[in-house]
Amino acid sequence: MSNQIPQVPRIKTIRNIFQFINNPIPLINETIEEMGSQTYRVHLSGINRSIMTQDPEIIQHVLQKNHKNYYKSKLQTKSLAKYAGYGLLTTDGEYWLKQRRLIQPGFHKKKLQSLVATMNQVVLEHISKIRNDIQSGNTQVELTTDLVKLTLKIVSTSLFSSGMTEEDLKVIGDSVITAQVAVIKGVRQPLLKWWRVFNGEEKTYLKARDNSRVTLNRLVEDRRKSKESFDDLLDMLLNSTYEDTGEGMNNTQILAEILIIFAAGHETTANALTWSLYLLDKHPEIKEKLLQEIDAVDLPENPGFEHIGQLGYTRQVISEAMRVYPPAWITDRVALEDDEINGVKINKGELVGIYIYGVHHSKLLWDNPEAFDPDRFSPENKKNIPSYAYFPFGGGPRLCIGQQFAWTEMILAMYHLMKSFEFTLAEGQQIDVEPLITLRPKYGMKMNVSERI
Ligand code: HEM
């Protein structure tokens, strides 16, 4: 009964190592196809015995039903924590639970209500910037970079409503990018770690991390000294207290959580928006339908959730874009003890690769999965989506804490961008995915932009 899932021969894994490093998505897809199984065993990097799965039942078991038996891998915890610090995203077990309980209330819809107008304001400033660029003759934007700037600004303003200087923002942005590069290099070129230490690369990564800590420390210290109260995420972090001790977080903890909110909270959203705009350009009839909705809605200057709720089709479009291009395309867990689900034995210490991209593209779960069809998420069709056939924000107790935050900013950004401008893919723009920690467009996403008449 146990271990009845097919296994990739070790020699094949070693032979494919460069393909895996370069772009693992086609290789995982091919393996699933060849093996005729949604789940298979593989020695990752030729060494670590692991399971890769796009089976919703196994995934639900691991992330939700038996989540207590699973921790995140070292890559998601220790390796990332080296650059971002130990916090919500990078810890497990009791410490994670303590932090989740502390921080969760700050992300509840009611709490976020006060941030909607702030987000709207940041988006409007960005719209003015694009408009000025067009007027000065810059009619092409590299969307990935541009939207990362926008979402970084939204996170920073939601944390520090009193504002962050461009210089401070750059220090934080650089350290977040550097952390990603460092972690990815660690995965893709584990044997070259000595070289990165020798050639000074590692030192540069740590320097970027230290610079961001100095900047954040100064901003947090200023806030602690201030007598004013601010209705922002930083005040929430500073004022939350642990149930057992009644005390708040110390500075190291606060800095880690801020950096993690920055890291987890901007590129994911920027990618989802970038891919949405790309897919709309490829599907004029869907774009037309979206514009009809957007043109029929007039958001007030200080919108709330009730206004955003009017943009149902916009939400469907972004949902479908995140099915086709899930910003978090994979995650993992490691079994603490032996486990079994549907006859598949998961051994203690084994890593389970949770292949979100594969689930979202599975022919067993979706009709014509490669087609872009926002109607899959219409109120009547949505009900029929099986559990864990669609989970861009993860699942179980570690479900993305920023889900509501992300939806709010994505719908606001989409509304204003589409209402104001016409985007068309630049000629010659090559399209492919680059699966790093998030799923980026490999060659960027240049678009021609003009004012909508
Ligand atoms: C489209 C946008 C986003 C996507 C697709 C996304 C996706 C995810 C996924 C899949 C996880 C779970 C990972 C796992 O269990 O292994 C996660 C966790 C997390 N996300 Fe997001 N996220 C997005 C936006 C945000 C935003 C805007 C924030 C903060 C402002 C944020 C903060 C976090 C944090 C702190 C965690 C860790 C939660 C925990 O482990 O308790 N995310 N996200």
Coordinates of all heavy atoms in Angstrom, one line a residue, residues 286-331:
I286 N -12.6 40.3 -23.1 CA -12.7 40.3 -21.6 C -12.4 41.7 -21.1 O -13.0 42.2 -20.2 CB -11.7 39.2 -21.1 CG1 -12.3 37.9 -21.5 CG2 -11.6 39.4 -19.5 CD1 -11.4 36.7 -21.1
K287 N -11.4 42.3 -21.8 CA -11.0 43.7 -21.4 C -12.2 44.6 -21.6 O -12.5 45.5 -20.7 CB -9.9 44.2 -22.3 CG -9.3 45.5 -22.1 CD -8.0 45.7 -22.8 CE -7.7 47.1 -23.1 NZ -6.4 47.2 -23.9
E288 N -13.0 44.4 -22.7 CA -14.1 45.3 -23.0 C -15.2 45.1 -21.8 O -15.7 46.1 -21.3 CB -14.7 44.8 -24.3 CG -15.6 45.8 -25.0 CD -15.1 47.2 -25.0 OE1 -13.9 47.4 -25.4 OE2 -15.8 48.1 -24.5
K289 N -15.4 43.9 -21.4 CA -16.4 43.6 -20.4 C -15.9 44.3 -19.0 O -16.7 44.8 -18.3 CB -16.5 42.1 -20.2 CG -17.7 41.7 -19.4 CD -18.0 40.2 -19.5 CE -18.9 39.8 -18.4 NZ -19.1 38.4 -18.3
L290 N -14.6 44.2 -18.8 CA -14.1 44.8 -17.6 C -14.3 46.3 -17.6 O -14.7 46.9 -16.6 CB -12.6 44.4 -17.5 CG -11.9 45.1 -16.3 CD1 -12.0 44.1 -15.0 CD2 -10.4 45.3 -16.6
L291 N -14.0 46.9 -18.8 CA -14.1 48.3 -18.9 C -15.6 48.8 -18.7 O -15.8 49.9 -18.1 CB -13.6 48.8 -20.2 CG -12.1 48.8 -20.3 CD1 -11.6 49.2 -21.7 CD2 -11.4 49.7 -19.3
Q292 N -16.5 48.0 -19.2 CA -17.9 48.3 -19.0 C -18.2 48.4 -17.5 O -18.9 49.3 -17.0 CB -18.8 47.2 -19.6 CG -19.1 47.5 -21.0 CD -19.8 46.3 -21.7 OE1 -20.5 45.5 -21.0 NE2 -19.7 46.2 -23.0
E293 N -17.7 47.5 -16.7 CA -17.9 47.5 -15.2 C -17.2 48.8 -14.6 O -17.8 49.5 -13.9 CB -17.4 46.3 -14.6 CG -17.5 46.4 -13.0 CD -17.0 45.1 -12.3 OE1 -17.8 44.2 -12.2 OE2 -15.8 45.0 -11.9
I294 N -16.0 48.9 -15.0 CA -15.2 50.0 -14.4 C -15.8 51.4 -14.7 O -15.9 52.3 -13.9 CB -13.7 49.9 -14.9 CG1 -13.1 48.7 -14.1 CG2 -13.0 51.2 -14.7 CD1 -11.7 48.4 -14.5
D295 N -16.3 51.5 -16.0 CA -16.8 52.8 -16.4 C -18.2 53.1 -15.7 O -18.6 54.2 -15.5 CB -17.0 52.9 -17.9 CG -15.6 53.0 -18.6 OD1 -14.7 53.4 -17.9 OD2 -15.5 52.7 -19.8
A296 N -18.8 52.0 -15.3 CA -20.1 52.2 -14.7 C -20.0 52.5 -13.2 O -21.0 52.9 -12.5 CB -21.0 50.9 -14.8
V297 N -18.8 52.4 -12.6 CA -18.6 52.6 -11.2 C -17.8 53.9 -11.0 O -16.7 54.1 -11.7 CB -17.8 51.4 -10.5 CG1 -17.4 51.8 -9.1 CG2 -18.7 50.2 -10.6
D298 N -18.2 54.8 -10.1 CA -17.5 56.0 -9.8 C -17.0 55.9 -8.3 O -17.9 56.1 -7.4 CB -18.3 57.2 -10.0 CG -18.0 57.9 -11.4 OD1 -16.8 57.8 -11.8 OD2 -18.9 58.4 -12.0
L299 N -15.8 55.6 -8.1 CA -15.3 55.4 -6.7 C -15.2 56.8 -6.1 O -14.7 57.7 -6.8 CB -13.9 54.8 -6.7 CG -13.8 53.3 -6.9 CD1 -12.4 52.8 -6.6 CD2 -14.8 52.5 -6.0
P300 N -15.7 57.0 -4.9 CA -15.5 58.3 -4.3 C -14.0 58.5 -3.9 O -13.2 57.6 -4.0 CB -16.4 58.2 -3.0 CG -16.5 56.8 -2.7 CD -16.3 56.0 -4.0
E301 N -13.7 59.8 -3.4 CA -12.4 60.1 -3.1 C -11.8 59.2 -1.9 O -10.7 58.8 -1.9 CB -12.3 61.5 -2.7 CG -11.0 62.2 -3.1 CD -11.0 63.7 -2.7 OE1 -12.0 64.4 -3.2 OE2 -10.2 64.1 -1.9
N302 N -12.7 58.9 -1.0 CA -12.4 58.1 0.1 C -13.2 56.8 0.1 O -14.1 56.6 0.9 CB -12.6 58.8 1.5 CG -11.6 59.9 1.7 OD1 -10.4 59.7 1.4 ND2 -12.1 61.0 2.2
P303 N -12.8 55.9 -0.8 CA -13.7 54.7 -0.9 C -13.5 53.7 0.3 O -12.5 53.8 1.1 CB -13.1 54.0 -2.1 CG -11.7 54.5 -2.3 CD -11.6 55.8 -1.6
G304 N -14.5 52.9 0.5 CA -14.5 51.9 1.5 C -14.8 50.5 0.9 O -14.9 50.5 -0.4
F305 N -14.8 49.5 1.7 CA -15.0 48.1 1.1 C -16.4 48.0 0.3 O -16.5 47.3 -0.6 CB -15.0 47.1 2.2 CG -13.7 46.8 2.7 CD1 -13.4 47.0 4.1 CD2 -12.7 46.3 1.9 CE1 -12.1 46.7 4.5 CE2 -11.4 46.1 2.3 CZ -11.1 46.3 3.7
E306 N -17.3 48.8 0.8 CA -18.7 48.7 0.1 C -18.5 49.2 -1.3 O -19.2 48.7 -2.2 CB -19.7 49.5 0.9 CG -19.6 51.0 1.0 CD -18.5 51.5 2.0 OE1 -17.7 50.7 2.5 OE2 -18.6 52.7 2.3
H307 N -17.6 50.1 -1.6 CA -17.4 50.6 -3.0 C -16.7 49.5 -3.8 O -17.0 49.3 -5.0 CB -16.7 51.9 -3.0 CG -17.4 53.0 -2.2 ND1 -16.9 53.4 -1.0 CD2 -18.6 53.6 -2.4 CE1 -17.7 54.3 -0.5 NE2 -18.8 54.4 -1.3
I308 N -15.6 49.0 -3.2 CA -14.8 48.0 -3.9 C -15.7 46.8 -4.2 O -15.4 46.1 -5.3 CB -13.6 47.6 -3.0 CG1 -12.7 48.8 -2.9 CG2 -12.8 46.4 -3.5 CD1 -11.6 48.6 -1.9
G309 N -16.6 46.5 -3.4 CA -17.5 45.3 -3.6 C -18.3 45.4 -4.9 O -18.8 44.4 -5.5
Q310 N -18.4 46.7 -5.5 CA -19.1 46.8 -6.7 C -18.3 46.3 -7.9 O -18.9 46.2 -9.0 CB -19.4 48.3 -7.0 CG -20.3 49.0 -5.9 CD -20.3 50.5 -6.1 OE1 -20.2 51.0 -7.2 NE2 -20.3 51.2 -5.0
L311 N -17.0 46.1 -7.7 CA -16.2 45.7 -8.8 C -16.0 44.2 -8.9 O -14.9 43.7 -8.8 CB -14.8 46.4 -8.7 CG -15.0 48.0 -8.9 CD1 -13.8 48.7 -8.2 CD2 -15.1 48.3 -10.4
G312 N -17.1 43.5 -9.0 CA -17.1 42.0 -9.0 C -16.4 41.4 -10.1 O -15.7 40.4 -10.0
Y313 N -16.6 41.9 -11.4 CA -16.0 41.3 -12.5 C -14.4 41.6 -12.5 O -13.6 40.7 -12.9 CB -16.6 41.9 -13.8 CG -16.1 41.0 -15.0 CD1 -16.5 39.7 -15.2 CD2 -15.2 41.6 -16.0 CE1 -16.0 39.0 -16.3 CE2 -14.8 40.8 -17.1 CZ -15.2 39.5 -17.2 OH -14.8 38.8 -18.2
T314 N -14.1 42.8 -11.9 CA -12.6 43.1 -11.8 C -12.0 42.0 -10.9 O -10.9 41.5 -11.2 CB -12.5 44.5 -11.2 OG1 -13.3 45.4 -11.9 CG2 -11.0 44.9 -11.1
R315 N -12.7 41.7 -9.9 CA -12.2 40.6 -9.0 C -12.1 39.3 -9.7 O -11.1 38.5 -9.5 CB -13.1 40.5 -7.7 CG -12.5 39.7 -6.6 CD -13.5 39.7 -5.4 NE -13.0 38.7 -4.5 CZ -12.5 39.1 -3.3 NH1 -12.5 40.3 -2.9 NH2 -12.1 38.1 -2.5
Q316 N -13.1 39.0 -10.5 CA -13.0 37.7 -11.3 C -11.8 37.7 -12.2 O -11.1 36.6 -12.3 CB -14.3 37.6 -12.1 CG -15.5 37.1 -11.4 CD -16.7 37.0 -12.3 OE1 -17.7 37.6 -11.9 NE2 -16.6 36.4 -13.5
V317 N -11.5 38.8 -12.8 CA -10.4 38.9 -13.8 C -9.1 38.6 -13.0 O -8.2 37.8 -13.4 CB -10.3 40.2 -14.5 CG1 -9.0 40.5 -15.2 CG2 -11.5 40.4 -15.5
I318 N -8.9 39.3 -11.9 CA -7.7 39.1 -11.1 C -7.6 37.6 -10.6 O -6.5 37.0 -10.6 CB -7.5 40.1 -10.0 CG1 -7.6 41.5 -10.6 CG2 -6.2 39.9 -9.2 CD1 -7.7 42.7 -9.5
S319 N -8.7 37.1 -10.1 CA -8.7 35.7 -9.6 C -8.2 34.8 -10.7 O -7.4 33.9 -10.4 CB -10.2 35.3 -9.2 OG -10.7 36.0 -8.2
E320 N -8.8 35.0 -11.9 CA -8.4 34.1 -13.0 C -6.9 34.3 -13.4 O -6.2 33.3 -13.7 CB -9.4 34.3 -14.2 CG -9.0 33.5 -15.5 CD -9.1 32.0 -15.4 OE1 -9.2 31.4 -14.3 OE2 -9.1 31.3 -16.5
A321 N -6.5 35.5 -13.4 CA -5.0 35.8 -13.7 C -4.2 35.0 -12.6 O -3.1 34.5 -13.0 CB -4.8 37.2 -13.7
M322 N -4.6 35.0 -11.4 CA -3.8 34.3 -10.3 C -3.9 32.8 -10.4 O -3.2 32.1 -9.8 CB -4.2 34.8 -8.9 CG -3.7 36.2 -8.6 SD -3.7 36.6 -6.9 CE -5.4 36.5 -6.5
R323 N -5.0 32.3 -11.1 CA -5.0 30.9 -11.4 C -4.0 30.6 -12.5 O -3.1 29.7 -12.3 CB -6.4 30.5 -11.9 CG -6.5 28.9 -12.1 CD -7.8 28.5 -12.8 NE -7.8 29.0 -14.2 CZ -7.2 28.4 -15.2 NH1 -6.5 27.4 -15.1 NH2 -7.3 29.0 -16.4
V324 N -4.0 31.3 -13.6 CA -3.1 31.1 -14.7 C -1.6 31.3 -14.2 O -0.7 30.5 -14.5 CB -3.4 31.9 -15.9 CG1 -2.5 31.6 -17.1 CG2 -4.9 31.6 -16.3
Y325 N -1.4 32.4 -13.5 CA 0.0 32.8 -13.1 C -0.1 33.0 -11.6 O -0.1 34.2 -11.1 CB 0.4 34.1 -13.8 CG 0.6 34.0 -15.3 CD1 -0.3 34.6 -16.2 CD2 1.6 33.2 -15.8 CE1 -0.1 34.5 -17.5 CE2 1.8 33.1 -17.2 CZ 0.9 33.8 -18.0 OH 1.1 33.7 -19.4
P326 N -0.1 31.9 -10.8 CA -0.1 32.1 -9.3 C 1.2 32.8 -8.8 O 2.3 32.3 -9.0 CB -0.2 30.7 -8.8 CG 0.2 29.8 -9.9 CD -0.1 30.5 -11.2
P327 N 1.0 34.0 -8.2 CA 2.3 34.7 -7.8 C 3.2 33.8 -6.9 O 4.4 33.8 -7.0 CB 1.7 35.9 -7.0 CG 0.4 36.1 -7.6 CD -0.2 34.8 -7.9
A328 N 2.5 33.1 -5.9 CA 3.3 32.1 -5.1 C 3.1 30.8 -5.8 O 2.0 30.2 -5.7 CB 2.8 32.1 -3.7
W329 N 4.0 30.3 -6.6 CA 3.7 29.2 -7.5 C 4.0 27.8 -6.9 O 3.5 26.8 -7.3 CB 4.5 29.3 -8.8 CG 6.0 29.2 -8.6 CD1 6.8 30.2 -8.1 CD2 6.8 28.1 -8.8 NE1 8.1 29.8 -8.0 CE2 8.2 28.5 -8.4 CE3 6.6 26.8 -9.2 CZ2 9.2 27.6 -8.5 CZ3 7.7 25.9 -9.3 CH2 9.0 26.3 -8.9
I330 N 4.7 27.9 -5.8 CA 5.0 26.6 -5.0 C 5.2 27.0 -3.6 O 5.6 28.1 -3.3 CB 6.2 25.9 -5.6 CG1 6.3 24.5 -5.2 CG2 7.5 26.7 -5.3 CD1 7.3 23.6 -6.0
T331 N 4.9 26.0 -2.7 CA 5.4 26.1 -1.3 C 5.8 24.7 -0.9 O 5.7 23.8 -1.7 CB 4.4 26.8 -0.4 OG1 5.0 27.0 0.9 CG2 3.1 26.0 -0.2

